[in-house]
Amino acid sequence: MGGEMLPPDEAGPDDVVLSWHGADVVAVRLPQLADSLDHILAAMERKRGKPLADLDRKAKQEVVRILEARGAFSVRHGVETVASALGVSRFTVYNYLNRDKA
């Protein structure tokens, strides 16, 4: 997911501080959701062993289904980010999304 551990005294308001027996021991800073999308796309490429843009249409549709289930399209510019990774247009990504709903 790309989180970062830091000393609890450096925790910001959006960080998660973990305690053990009442004492703060570590803070975890989670990435912004948009950064998480980049991590998810990179993991999907590693799993498939090739760039997502090199996948066939059916595999790209499956990627879009998985990303939709993970909330990727609720992120600002999510469709554009995914379209770029897949080597397709935004219109194509929207078609893949609408195809599943039909």
Side-chain angles (χ1 to χ4, degrees):
M1 182 191 268
E4 173 186 359
M5 293 181 6
L6 39 121
D9 59 333
E10 293 180 21
D14 294 329
D15 298 331
V16 177
V17 178
L18 304 176
S19 300
W20 181 258
H21 294 291
D24 295 339
V25 291
V26 68
V28 178
R29 179 166 295 150
L30 298 174
Q32 297 297 318
L33 195 52
D35 294 336
S36 295
L37 179 54
D38 291 334
H39 288 287
I40 292 168
L41 290 167
M44 293 178 96
E45 282 191 345
R46 282 192 304 274
K47 182 178 179 182
R48 286 168 172 74
K50 61 182 172 181
L52 297 178
D54 292 347
L55 299 175
D56 63 21
R57 184 176 54 126
K58 185 175 180 180
K60 289 179 181 182
Q61 290 170 339
E62 177 65 21
V63 166
V64 169
R65 279 193 292 277
I66 291 167
L67 292 171
E68 182 180 28
R70 292 185 176 186
F73 302 110
S74 62
V75 176
R76 184 175 178 176
H77 303 297
V79 171
E80 291 86 350
T81 301
V82 171
S84 177
L86 293 175
V88 299
S89 68
R90 291 179 321 155
F91 182 74
T92 299
V93 172
Y94 284 118
N95 279 341
Y96 291 169
L97 289 167
N98 292 330
R99 178 185 175 125
D100 286 340
K101 294 175 184 170

XYZ file of all heavy atoms in Angstrom:
782
model
N 0.826 -1.195 0.000
C 0.000 0.000 0.000
C 0.863 1.248 0.000
O 0.396 2.310 -0.364
C -0.936 -0.037 1.191
C -1.854 1.156 1.235
S -2.741 1.340 2.751
C -4.214 0.469 2.374
N 2.100 1.122 0.419
C 2.983 2.278 0.356
C 2.979 3.156 1.590
O 3.328 4.314 1.516
N 2.573 2.621 2.756
C 2.585 3.395 3.987
C 4.013 3.632 4.460
O 4.954 2.972 4.043
N 4.159 4.582 5.364
C 5.476 4.950 5.879
C 5.416 4.967 7.399
O 4.488 5.516 7.995
C 5.830 6.336 5.339
C 7.072 6.938 5.889
C 7.263 8.375 5.404
O 6.443 8.884 4.635
O 8.245 8.986 5.843
N 6.401 4.347 8.047
C 6.465 4.360 9.512
C 7.332 5.531 9.949
O 8.340 5.836 9.321
C 7.046 3.048 10.025
C 6.142 1.876 9.764
S 6.688 0.247 10.337
C 8.139 0.496 11.257
N 6.911 6.185 11.052
C 7.683 7.285 11.591
C 7.494 7.352 13.096
O 6.578 6.742 13.646
C 7.309 8.615 10.934
C 5.858 8.891 10.616
C 5.373 10.136 11.315
C 5.797 9.130 9.121
N 8.377 8.093 13.777
C 8.231 8.212 15.230
C 6.882 8.832 15.597
O 6.391 9.718 14.889
C 9.383 9.136 15.638
C 10.361 9.064 14.509
C 9.544 8.804 13.274
N 6.279 8.370 16.685
C 4.953 8.875 17.054
C 4.899 10.377 17.281
O 3.869 11.008 17.028
C 4.596 8.116 18.329
C 5.749 7.279 18.683
C 6.758 7.361 17.595
N 6.004 10.976 17.725
C 5.996 12.423 17.968
C 6.017 13.231 16.670
O 5.815 14.442 16.688
C 7.151 12.835 18.880
C 8.522 12.478 18.332
O 8.620 11.493 17.552
O 9.497 13.162 18.676
N 6.234 12.567 15.537
C 6.208 13.248 14.239
C 4.881 13.028 13.506
O 4.726 13.451 12.363
C 7.359 12.751 13.367
C 8.734 13.126 13.881
C 9.849 12.608 12.986
O 9.590 12.307 11.800
O 10.976 12.506 13.481
N 3.939 12.385 14.168
C 2.649 12.076 13.540
C 1.851 13.342 13.285
O 1.818 14.258 14.103
C 1.847 11.134 14.433
N 1.230 13.362 12.123
C 0.336 14.449 11.762
C -1.099 14.065 12.064
O -1.375 12.934 12.498
N -2.030 14.962 11.810
C -3.431 14.691 12.134
C -4.049 13.547 11.325
O -4.994 12.914 11.788
C -4.137 16.014 11.834
C -3.208 16.771 10.947
C -1.828 16.288 11.260
N -3.502 13.242 10.150
C -4.049 12.159 9.329
C -3.306 10.847 9.499
O -3.651 9.847 8.874
C -4.036 12.557 7.848
C -4.970 13.710 7.551
O -6.001 13.833 8.247
O -4.669 14.491 6.632
N -2.273 10.830 10.340
C -1.496 9.613 10.558
C -2.165 8.742 11.616
O -2.934 9.227 12.451
C -0.072 9.970 10.995
C 0.672 10.757 9.936
O 0.371 10.580 8.745
O 1.558 11.548 10.312
N -1.824 7.466 11.576
C -2.359 6.506 12.541
C -1.252 6.189 13.541
O -0.171 5.739 13.159
C -2.817 5.205 11.842
C -3.302 4.191 12.854
C -3.879 5.512 10.794
N -1.505 6.453 14.830
C -0.523 6.182 15.871
C -0.891 4.867 16.546
O -2.026 4.667 16.980
C -0.480 7.335 16.912
C 0.521 7.018 18.014
C -0.127 8.651 16.223
N 0.090 3.965 16.607
C -0.118 2.660 17.224
C 0.497 2.651 18.615
O 1.611 3.127 18.816
C 0.505 1.558 16.356
C 0.011 1.504 14.906
C 0.775 0.449 14.120
C -1.474 1.236 14.842
N -0.247 2.088 19.555
C 0.201 2.042 20.953
C 0.377 0.600 21.404
O -0.297 -0.303 20.915
C -0.827 2.725 21.859
O -0.995 4.071 21.489
N 1.277 0.421 22.376
C 1.499 -0.885 22.981
C 1.572 -0.677 24.481
O 2.389 0.085 24.968
C 2.806 -1.492 22.448
C 3.101 -2.844 22.997
C 3.988 -3.150 23.990
C 2.519 -4.067 22.587
N 3.991 -4.482 24.214
C 3.096 -5.088 23.363
C 1.564 -4.415 21.649
C 2.743 -6.428 23.228
C 1.223 -5.744 21.510
C 1.810 -6.726 22.280
N 0.640 -1.303 25.195
C 0.544 -1.168 26.651
C 0.479 0.298 27.074
O 1.149 0.728 28.013
C 1.713 -1.867 27.352
C 1.715 -3.359 27.185
N 0.782 -4.174 27.774
C 2.514 -4.173 26.459
C 1.016 -5.426 27.441
N 2.069 -5.456 26.625
N -0.289 1.076 26.339
C -0.533 2.464 26.695
C 0.505 3.453 26.217
O 0.347 4.657 26.416
N 1.570 2.985 25.600
C 2.612 3.893 25.117
C 2.593 3.924 23.583
O 2.517 2.875 22.942
C 3.985 3.434 25.601
N 2.665 5.123 23.021
C 2.741 5.262 21.571
C 4.091 4.740 21.095
O 5.140 5.154 21.610
C 2.570 6.718 21.153
C 1.181 7.259 21.476
O 0.251 6.446 21.646
O 1.032 8.495 21.534
N 4.084 3.812 20.128
C 5.335 3.214 19.673
C 5.695 3.558 18.228
O 6.870 3.625 17.883
C 5.336 1.678 19.844
C 5.377 1.303 21.319
C 4.143 1.045 19.176
N 4.714 3.776 17.402
C 5.006 4.083 16.007
C 3.798 4.786 15.379
O 2.662 4.577 15.814
C 5.375 2.813 15.195
C 4.180 1.899 15.030
C 5.989 3.152 13.843
N 4.070 5.612 14.410
C 3.000 6.235 13.625
C 3.108 5.709 12.200
O 4.204 5.416 11.712
C 3.132 7.755 13.652
N 1.961 5.569 11.563
C 1.926 5.108 10.176
C 1.269 6.194 9.336
O 0.168 6.639 9.639
C 1.132 3.785 10.048
C 1.070 3.342 8.597
C 1.745 2.706 10.930
N 1.988 6.606 8.311
C 1.456 7.605 7.384
C 1.056 6.873 6.106
O 1.878 6.298 5.410
C 2.498 8.670 7.076
C 1.999 9.713 6.090
C 2.895 10.939 6.062
N 2.818 11.594 7.361
C 3.812 12.296 7.905
N 4.948 12.431 7.273
N 3.661 12.863 9.086
N -0.239 6.873 5.846
C -0.752 6.211 4.653
C -0.665 7.167 3.471
O -0.834 8.372 3.630
C -2.196 5.763 4.878
C -2.380 4.752 6.007
C -3.854 4.483 6.231
C -1.643 3.467 5.705
N -0.416 6.635 2.286
C -0.325 7.514 1.116
C -1.692 8.054 0.752
O -2.725 7.508 1.154
C 0.197 6.581 0.023
C -0.283 5.237 0.437
C -0.258 5.244 1.945
N -1.677 9.122 -0.015
C -2.929 9.631 -0.550
C -3.509 8.569 -1.470
O -2.779 7.762 -2.046
C -2.682 10.928 -1.334
C -2.157 12.055 -0.486
C -3.147 12.475 0.584
O -4.341 12.563 0.329
N -2.665 12.694 1.779
N -4.818 8.546 -1.599
C -5.470 7.526 -2.409
C -4.952 7.513 -3.838
O -4.780 6.459 -4.441
C -6.986 7.745 -2.381
C -7.857 6.617 -2.866
C -7.524 5.309 -2.177
C -9.312 6.951 -2.667
N -4.652 8.668 -4.388
C -4.128 8.726 -5.758
C -2.784 8.007 -5.855
O -2.505 7.324 -6.842
C -4.003 10.173 -6.214
N -1.937 8.146 -4.826
C -0.663 7.433 -4.810
C -0.899 5.933 -4.715
O -0.172 5.144 -5.314
C 0.204 7.897 -3.641
C 0.642 9.346 -3.773
O 0.688 9.848 -4.912
O 0.920 9.965 -2.734
N -1.918 5.537 -3.959
C -2.247 4.122 -3.832
C -2.628 3.536 -5.182
O -2.295 2.386 -5.471
C -3.403 3.926 -2.847
O -3.030 4.313 -1.560
N -3.304 4.289 -6.012
C -3.687 3.808 -7.337
C -2.441 3.469 -8.149
O -2.389 2.434 -8.815
C -4.552 4.837 -8.066
C -5.006 4.470 -9.476
C -5.717 3.124 -9.506
C -5.903 5.565 -10.038
N -1.416 4.310 -8.066
C -0.163 4.018 -8.766
C 0.455 2.716 -8.248
O 0.963 1.916 -9.029
C 0.829 5.165 -8.616
C 0.398 6.415 -9.369
O -0.342 6.284 -10.371
O 0.794 7.514 -8.955
N 0.398 2.494 -6.935
C 0.927 1.257 -6.352
C 0.122 0.048 -6.825
O 0.692 -1.003 -7.131
C 0.906 1.322 -4.821
C 1.927 2.237 -4.241
N 3.271 1.949 -4.209
C 1.799 3.456 -3.668
C 3.926 2.939 -3.644
N 3.056 3.872 -3.305
N -1.192 0.185 -6.881
C -2.050 -0.909 -7.330
C -1.749 -1.247 -8.792
O -1.622 -2.426 -9.151
C -3.544 -0.554 -7.148
C -3.886 -0.486 -5.660
C -4.439 -1.563 -7.859
C -5.241 0.134 -5.367
N -1.626 -0.232 -9.629
C -1.321 -0.463 -11.043
C 0.039 -1.148 -11.202
O 0.186 -2.081 -12.003
C -1.358 0.850 -11.819
C -2.746 1.463 -12.005
C -2.643 2.898 -12.492
C -3.598 0.624 -12.939
N 1.029 -0.706 -10.442
C 2.365 -1.318 -10.518
C 2.309 -2.779 -10.075
O 2.940 -3.647 -10.689
C 3.362 -0.532 -9.662
N 1.537 -3.059 -9.025
C 1.403 -4.444 -8.555
C 0.710 -5.314 -9.601
O 1.081 -6.481 -9.800
C 0.635 -4.475 -7.237
N -0.278 -4.761 -10.273
C -0.971 -5.518 -11.317
C -0.026 -5.829 -12.477
O -0.080 -6.922 -13.050
C -2.204 -4.753 -11.804
C -3.280 -4.634 -10.737
S -4.702 -3.698 -11.287
C -5.744 -5.068 -11.809
N 0.838 -4.888 -12.811
C 1.826 -5.142 -13.864
C 2.804 -6.227 -13.452
O 3.115 -7.119 -14.236
C 2.587 -3.860 -14.219
C 1.808 -2.925 -15.089
C 2.648 -1.785 -15.653
O 3.774 -1.530 -15.157
O 2.167 -1.153 -16.607
N 3.273 -6.162 -12.209
C 4.205 -7.190 -11.724
C 3.553 -8.567 -11.760
O 4.165 -9.545 -12.177
C 4.676 -6.867 -10.309
C 5.736 -5.790 -10.240
C 6.370 -5.703 -8.861
N 5.407 -5.492 -7.798
C 4.952 -4.309 -7.410
N 5.367 -3.213 -8.009
N 4.088 -4.211 -6.413
N 2.296 -8.629 -11.330
C 1.585 -9.908 -11.290
C 1.436 -10.498 -12.689
O 1.550 -11.707 -12.878
C 0.212 -9.710 -10.650
C -0.593 -10.978 -10.519
C -1.916 -10.724 -9.839
C -2.724 -12.003 -9.750
N -4.029 -11.779 -9.148
N 1.186 -9.662 -13.672
C 0.987 -10.136 -15.042
C 2.291 -10.286 -15.808
O 2.326 -10.865 -16.881
C 0.023 -9.205 -15.775
C -1.404 -9.437 -15.294
C -2.346 -8.371 -15.769
N -3.729 -8.709 -15.453
C -4.269 -8.655 -14.249
N -3.546 -8.281 -13.230
N -5.529 -8.969 -14.054
N 3.366 -9.709 -15.281
C 4.670 -9.862 -15.902
C 4.896 -9.023 -17.150
O 5.855 -9.258 -17.887
N 4.028 -8.065 -17.386
C 4.202 -7.175 -18.532
C 3.385 -5.915 -18.313
O 2.490 -5.886 -17.469
C 3.812 -7.850 -19.828
C 2.368 -8.311 -19.920
C 2.156 -9.004 -21.267
C 0.814 -9.665 -21.359
N 0.642 -10.329 -22.647
N 3.696 -4.856 -19.081
C 2.926 -3.617 -18.935
C 1.442 -3.855 -19.223
O 1.090 -4.656 -20.095
C 3.537 -2.692 -19.993
C 4.899 -3.240 -20.241
C 4.780 -4.726 -20.053
N 0.598 -3.164 -18.483
C -0.848 -3.314 -18.675
C -1.256 -2.913 -20.089
O -2.215 -3.453 -20.634
C -1.608 -2.485 -17.639
C -1.390 -2.899 -16.184
C -2.162 -1.966 -15.251
C -1.790 -4.336 -15.948
N -0.532 -2.005 -20.696
C -0.852 -1.567 -22.058
C -0.668 -2.695 -23.070
O -1.255 -2.659 -24.152
C 0.010 -0.363 -22.443
N 0.119 -3.714 -22.712
C 0.370 -4.833 -23.621
C -0.679 -5.942 -23.497
O -0.607 -6.933 -24.231
C 1.753 -5.429 -23.367
C 2.880 -4.480 -23.762
O 2.598 -3.479 -24.461
O 4.024 -4.733 -23.367
N -1.624 -5.802 -22.584
C -2.666 -6.820 -22.411
C -3.668 -6.754 -23.557
O -3.846 -5.713 -24.184
C -3.405 -6.600 -21.086
C -2.564 -6.688 -19.810
C -3.429 -6.315 -18.606
C -1.970 -8.072 -19.648
N -4.363 -7.873 -23.787
C -5.436 -7.854 -24.788
C -6.682 -7.191 -24.194
O -6.731 -6.892 -23.000
C -5.738 -9.258 -25.315
C -6.251 -10.215 -24.251
O -6.757 -9.773 -23.203
O -6.145 -11.442 -24.466
N -7.665 -6.958 -25.040
C -8.859 -6.217 -24.614
C -9.571 -6.889 -23.438
O -9.962 -6.227 -22.475
C -9.823 -6.060 -25.785
C -11.042 -5.215 -25.443
C -11.899 -5.014 -26.650
N -12.232 -6.306 -27.247
C -13.460 -6.717 -27.495
N -14.475 -5.942 -27.256
N -13.685 -7.892 -28.011
N -9.720 -8.201 -23.492
C -10.419 -8.914 -22.417
C -9.687 -8.750 -21.084
O -10.310 -8.529 -20.045
C -10.548 -10.386 -22.778
C -11.354 -11.179 -21.807
C -11.547 -12.613 -22.272
C -12.366 -13.391 -21.255
N -12.574 -14.774 -21.665
N -8.371 -8.846 -21.115
C -7.582 -8.679 -19.889
C -7.676 -7.246 -19.371
O -7.743 -7.025 -18.153
C -6.126 -9.058 -20.150
N -7.694 -6.273 -20.271
C -7.844 -4.877 -19.849
C -9.204 -4.647 -19.200
O -9.318 -3.927 -18.210
C -7.655 -3.928 -21.035
C -6.219 -3.850 -21.515
C -6.074 -2.930 -22.703
C -4.638 -2.885 -23.178
N -4.429 -1.977 -24.297
N -10.236 -5.278 -19.731
C -11.568 -5.169 -19.130
C -11.565 -5.763 -17.726
O -12.172 -5.202 -16.804
C -12.609 -5.856 -20.013
C -12.878 -5.124 -21.299
C -13.723 -5.914 -22.279
O -13.810 -7.137 -22.209
N -14.346 -5.208 -23.215
N -10.868 -6.858 -17.543
C -10.765 -7.473 -16.216
C -10.033 -6.548 -15.245
O -10.429 -6.399 -14.093
C -10.045 -8.819 -16.318
C -9.821 -9.490 -14.985
C -11.100 -9.896 -14.265
O -12.156 -10.028 -14.914
O -11.048 -10.069 -13.041
N -8.975 -5.905 -15.717
C -8.241 -4.939 -14.888
C -9.178 -3.820 -14.448
O -9.193 -3.432 -13.271
C -7.011 -4.380 -15.646
C -6.437 -3.157 -14.955
C -5.947 -5.457 -15.808
N -9.977 -3.306 -15.366
C -10.917 -2.228 -15.033
C -11.927 -2.710 -13.998
O -12.241 -1.991 -13.051
C -11.609 -1.686 -16.307
C -12.770 -0.766 -15.951
C -10.600 -0.943 -17.166
N -12.410 -3.934 -14.131
C -13.357 -4.481 -13.129
C -12.718 -4.551 -11.745
O -13.322 -4.183 -10.737
C -13.838 -5.863 -13.554
C -14.945 -5.851 -14.571
C -15.586 -7.226 -14.725
N -14.698 -8.202 -15.334
C -14.510 -8.344 -16.642
N -15.147 -7.558 -17.472
N -13.688 -9.259 -17.111
N -11.483 -5.036 -11.703
C -10.773 -5.144 -10.418
C -10.566 -3.758 -9.813
O -10.794 -3.545 -8.613
C -9.425 -5.859 -10.613
C -9.652 -7.336 -10.961
C -8.544 -5.731 -9.369
C -8.412 -8.053 -11.469
N -10.144 -2.810 -10.641
C -9.897 -1.451 -10.148
C -11.177 -0.781 -9.681
O -11.181 -0.059 -8.683
C -9.206 -0.619 -11.222
C -7.774 -1.053 -11.547
C -7.262 -0.311 -12.765
C -6.864 -0.834 -10.349
N -12.271 -1.034 -10.382
C -13.549 -0.464 -9.945
C -13.935 -1.019 -8.581
O -14.369 -0.272 -7.695
C -14.645 -0.745 -10.962
C -15.967 -0.118 -10.550
C -17.090 -0.363 -11.526
O -17.070 -1.388 -12.221
O -17.995 0.490 -11.574
N -13.734 -2.311 -8.375
C -14.050 -2.926 -7.079
C -13.188 -2.339 -5.963
O -13.623 -2.275 -4.811
C -13.861 -4.437 -7.157
N -11.991 -1.899 -6.293
C -11.088 -1.311 -5.298
C -11.295 0.186 -5.124
O -10.582 0.829 -4.361
C -9.636 -1.581 -5.684
C -9.264 -3.040 -5.584
C -7.813 -3.218 -5.843
N -7.403 -4.590 -5.673
C -6.145 -4.996 -5.737
N -5.183 -4.127 -5.963
N -5.858 -6.259 -5.573
N -12.230 0.764 -5.858
C -12.531 2.180 -5.701
C -11.625 3.116 -6.473
O -11.571 4.314 -6.185
N -10.920 2.593 -7.463
C -9.952 3.409 -8.197
C -10.580 4.586 -8.917
O -9.928 5.609 -9.123
C -9.209 2.533 -9.216
N -11.840 4.465 -9.269
C -12.455 5.521 -10.067
C -13.135 6.581 -9.212
O -13.724 7.515 -9.739
C -13.394 4.904 -11.104
C -12.661 3.946 -11.999
C -12.887 2.586 -11.928
C -11.700 4.412 -12.876
C -12.183 1.701 -12.736
C -10.984 3.541 -13.693
C -11.229 2.184 -13.615
N -12.996 6.456 -7.898
C -13.478 7.510 -7.008
C -12.368 8.531 -6.747
O -12.604 9.576 -6.167
C -13.975 6.922 -5.688
O -12.922 6.271 -5.007
N -11.161 8.208 -7.200
C -10.014 9.093 -7.050
C -10.044 10.138 -8.164
O -10.365 9.817 -9.310
C -8.703 8.278 -7.159
C -7.486 9.177 -7.116
C -8.641 7.231 -6.077
N -9.717 11.343 -7.817
C -9.642 12.388 -8.839
C -8.630 11.973 -9.910
O -7.517 11.555 -9.591
C -9.216 13.704 -8.197
C -9.214 14.829 -9.172
C -8.907 16.129 -8.498
N -8.874 17.167 -9.521
C -8.704 18.423 -9.272
N -8.548 18.826 -8.038
N -8.685 19.288 -10.247
N -9.018 12.075 -11.144
C -8.212 11.688 -12.309
C -7.952 10.180 -12.370
O -7.035 9.739 -13.059
C -6.883 12.450 -12.369
C -7.036 13.930 -12.393
N -7.668 14.590 -13.432
C -6.674 14.881 -11.496
C -7.665 15.883 -13.167
N -7.081 16.090 -12.009
N -8.752 9.392 -11.654
C -8.582 7.940 -11.667
C -8.757 7.349 -13.048
O -7.971 6.494 -13.470
N -9.787 7.799 -13.752
C -10.029 7.272 -15.099
C -8.847 7.606 -16.010
O -8.369 6.739 -16.761
C -11.353 7.812 -15.687
C -11.493 7.436 -17.152
C -12.536 7.281 -14.896
N -8.346 8.821 -15.929
C -7.224 9.219 -16.768
C -5.975 8.403 -16.437
O -5.242 7.970 -17.332
C -6.921 10.713 -16.599
C -7.982 11.622 -17.175
C -9.131 11.916 -16.202
O -9.225 11.275 -15.143
O -9.939 12.795 -16.532
N -5.727 8.182 -15.153
C -4.561 7.416 -14.728
C -4.633 5.985 -15.237
O -3.660 5.444 -15.769
C -4.444 7.432 -13.187
O -4.341 8.786 -12.747
C -3.240 6.643 -12.712
N -5.802 5.375 -15.097
C -5.983 3.998 -15.551
C -5.892 3.929 -17.075
O -5.242 3.031 -17.626
C -7.317 3.423 -15.038
C -7.625 2.079 -15.676
C -7.287 3.297 -13.518
N -6.522 4.864 -17.759
C -6.469 4.876 -19.221
C -5.018 4.962 -19.706
O -4.624 4.231 -20.623
C -7.292 6.039 -19.771
N -4.242 5.802 -19.086
C -2.835 5.941 -19.463
C -2.078 4.632 -19.234
O -1.296 4.203 -20.092
C -2.201 7.075 -18.659
O -0.832 7.191 -18.950
N -2.307 3.989 -18.092
C -1.623 2.731 -17.788
C -2.016 1.623 -18.762
O -1.190 0.773 -19.114
C -1.929 2.301 -16.355
N -3.273 1.627 -19.194
C -3.761 0.603 -20.110
C -3.461 0.925 -21.579
O -3.659 0.077 -22.447
C -5.270 0.406 -19.940
C -5.743 -0.186 -18.628
C -7.263 -0.210 -18.571
C -5.180 -1.581 -18.424
N -3.047 2.152 -21.840
C -2.780 2.548 -23.213
C -4.044 2.705 -24.041
O -4.059 2.426 -25.238
N -5.121 3.144 -23.375
C -6.402 3.358 -24.053
C -6.896 4.762 -23.722
O -6.319 5.461 -22.899
C -7.469 2.307 -23.620
C -7.008 0.900 -23.976
C -7.787 2.408 -22.133
N -7.989 5.150 -24.348
C -8.566 6.461 -24.069
C -9.475 6.405 -22.838
O -9.894 5.322 -22.407
C -9.381 6.936 -25.271
O -10.539 6.127 -25.421
N -9.777 7.571 -22.300
C -10.748 7.648 -21.201
C -12.083 7.087 -21.648
O -12.765 6.400 -20.891
C -10.950 9.096 -20.746
C -9.765 9.694 -20.054
C -10.023 11.130 -19.663
N -10.775 11.819 -20.692
C -11.551 12.871 -20.498
N -11.662 13.400 -19.323
N -12.205 13.419 -21.494
N -12.456 7.386 -22.868
C -13.713 6.902 -23.429
C -13.768 5.373 -23.375
O -14.804 4.790 -23.030
C -13.861 7.405 -24.864
C -15.139 7.004 -25.529
C -16.336 7.611 -25.181
C -15.150 6.006 -26.489
C -17.533 7.242 -25.785
C -16.334 5.626 -27.102
C -17.529 6.243 -26.744
N -12.665 4.719 -23.699
C -12.610 3.253 -23.652
C -12.804 2.745 -22.228
O -13.534 1.781 -22.004
C -11.278 2.752 -24.237
O -11.195 3.168 -25.603
C -11.163 1.246 -24.152
N -12.168 3.398 -21.260
C -12.339 2.988 -19.861
C -13.805 3.134 -19.452
O -14.381 2.240 -18.835
C -11.414 3.790 -18.916
C -11.735 3.491 -17.452
C -9.954 3.483 -19.215
N -14.419 4.261 -19.814
C -15.841 4.443 -19.513
C -16.686 3.368 -20.192
O -17.656 2.855 -19.599
C -16.324 5.835 -19.930
C -15.887 6.928 -18.990
C -15.067 7.964 -19.424
C -16.279 6.926 -17.648
C -14.665 8.981 -18.566
C -15.868 7.926 -16.784
C -15.081 8.946 -17.243
O -14.672 9.931 -16.380
N -16.332 2.988 -21.416
C -17.067 1.913 -22.093
C -16.931 0.592 -21.327
O -17.897 -0.150 -21.188
C -16.569 1.737 -23.525
C -17.173 2.741 -24.465
O -18.205 3.339 -24.175
N -16.523 2.956 -25.594
N -15.720 0.294 -20.853
C -15.519 -0.926 -20.068
C -16.373 -0.886 -18.800
O -16.969 -1.887 -18.414
C -14.054 -1.099 -19.686
C -13.119 -1.410 -20.816
C -11.729 -1.351 -20.607
C -13.546 -1.763 -22.093
C -10.840 -1.637 -21.635
C -12.655 -2.049 -23.115
C -11.302 -1.982 -22.875
O -10.410 -2.265 -23.877
N -16.418 0.269 -18.151
C -17.215 0.396 -16.926
C -18.695 0.244 -17.213
O -19.408 -0.458 -16.483
C -16.941 1.752 -16.265
C -15.579 1.929 -15.629
C -15.325 3.390 -15.298
C -15.446 1.055 -14.397
N -19.164 0.898 -18.257
C -20.597 0.820 -18.617
C -20.991 -0.553 -19.118
O -22.120 -0.985 -18.918
C -20.945 1.894 -19.642
C -20.863 3.286 -19.050
O -21.094 3.473 -17.867
N -20.534 4.261 -19.878
N -20.083 -1.235 -19.761
C -20.369 -2.585 -20.274
C -20.724 -3.541 -19.138
O -21.623 -4.348 -19.252
C -19.140 -3.092 -21.031
C -19.287 -4.479 -21.552
C -17.970 -4.934 -22.182
N -18.080 -6.301 -22.569
C -17.854 -6.757 -23.778
N -17.504 -5.927 -24.723
N -17.966 -8.028 -24.044
N -20.010 -3.409 -18.023
C -20.282 -4.271 -16.866
C -21.640 -3.964 -16.237
O -22.256 -4.837 -15.631
C -19.193 -4.114 -15.808
C -17.898 -4.793 -16.234
O -17.952 -5.671 -17.125
O -16.852 -4.444 -15.687
N -22.094 -2.745 -16.356
C -23.366 -2.353 -15.727
C -24.562 -2.661 -16.600
O -25.689 -2.648 -16.127
C -23.318 -0.868 -15.376
C -22.292 -0.569 -14.312
C -22.160 0.903 -14.047
C -21.038 1.127 -13.037
N -20.699 2.493 -12.893
N -24.326 -2.927 -17.868
C -25.427 -3.190 -18.800
C -25.958 -4.603 -18.655
O -25.378 -5.489 -18.175
C -24.953 -2.962 -20.233
